[in-house]
């Protein structure tokens, strides 16, 4: 995987992002420092998340935990469209001012309580876009990964296959 170690002459990824004028990205790098692989819900495929869970990944580890992030992600569109958190992968839709951005996927890197907008980094854009929650929805695969993490929160016959081998053997 990627490393956050300093690489001369660039420095740490956080320093490089700041030096290049990407304060929002630097803030996200700081916020996600120390996260476990499972906490990066939006970067995982369903198969990778399943493998992590079966390998013993703890969905309650870290702050915020993968379980907490999954709850936010899965409830976002249903009950609170402003619940997107930094690191959330989003699909952009219904933009009138920049229709070419509709359908693109980005990552929430900041939120502004004063404007009610999210800073969303999209590949190929020099700066994060300031978008209203109404123009964002969680990326479909990220929601599926979130549902998988929620399913694995408690043992049941339906979640049995998501637990490590030793735990599955004890459950039968």
């Amino acid at each position: 995987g990627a490393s956050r170690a300093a690489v001369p002459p660039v420095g740490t990824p956080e320093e490089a992002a700041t030096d290049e004028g990407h304060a929002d990205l630097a803030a996200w790098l700081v916020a996600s420092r120390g996260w476990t692989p499972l906490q990066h819900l939006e970067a995982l495929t369903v198969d990778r998340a399943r493998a992590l869970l079966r390998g013993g990944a703890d969905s309650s580890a870290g702050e915020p935990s993968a379980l907490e992030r999954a709850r936010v992600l899965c409830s976002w569109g249903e009950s609170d469209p402003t619940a997107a958190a930094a690191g959330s992968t989003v699909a952009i839709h219904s933009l009138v001012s920049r229709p070419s951005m509709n359908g693109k996927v980005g990552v929430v890197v900041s939120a502004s309580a004063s404007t009610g907008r999210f800073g969303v980094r999209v590949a190929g854009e020099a700066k994060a876009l300031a978008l209203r929650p109404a123009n964002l929805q969680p990326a479909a695969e990220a929601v599926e990964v979130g549902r998988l993490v929620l399913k694995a929160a408690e043992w049941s016959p339906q979640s049995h296959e998501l637990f490590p081998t030793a735990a599955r053997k004890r459950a039968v």
Side-chain angles (χ1 to χ4, degrees), residues 12-65:
T12 66
E14 294 90 340
E15 292 167 341
T18 300
D19 291 347
E20 292 297 318
H22 303 295
D24 50 358
L25 177 58
W28 180 83
L29 286 166
V30 169
S32 64
R33 186 183 296 136
W35 279 12
T36 66
L38 191 59
Q39 285 171 283
H40 291 275
L41 300 176
E42 297 83 2
L44 297 174
T45 64
V46 171
D47 289 340
R48 178 67 178 134
R50 180 177 284 111
L52 288 168
L53 290 164
R54 290 189 76 172
D58 183 357
S59 64
S60 61
E63 182 61 37
S65 70

Side-chain angles (χ1 to χ4, degrees), residues 5-6 9-10 23 38 42 46 49 52 64 70 100 105 116 118-119 137 148 150-151 157 165:
V10 178
L38 191 59
E42 297 83 2
V46 171
L52 288 168
S100 64
V105 173
F118 292 105
Q137 63 188 37
L148 191 69
L150 291 174
K151 181 178 174 183
T165 303

Side-chain angles (χ1 to χ4, degrees), residues 3 22 43 57 69 102 118 123 126 136:
S3 170
H22 303 295
R69 297 196 73 238
N102 291 330
F118 292 105
L136 304 173

Side-chain angles (χ1 to χ4, degrees), residues 145-169:
V145 169
R147 288 184 182 138
L148 191 69
V149 169
L150 291 174
K151 181 178 174 183
E154 292 186 33
W155 185 89
S156 72
Q158 293 76 28
S159 66
H160 180 78
E161 58 100 11
L162 298 174
F163 287 81
T165 303
R168 290 195 312 270
K169 286 180 181 176

Side-chain angles (χ1 to χ4, degrees), residues 115-149:
T115 64
R117 292 177 180 255
F118 292 105
V120 178
R121 176 152 312 276
V122 177
E125 293 294 312
K127 297 171 89 176
L129 306 172
L131 301 174
R132 291 188 309 253
N135 296 114
L136 304 173
Q137 63 188 37
E141 183 150 33
V143 172
E144 290 305 311
V145 169
R147 288 184 182 138
L148 191 69
V149 169

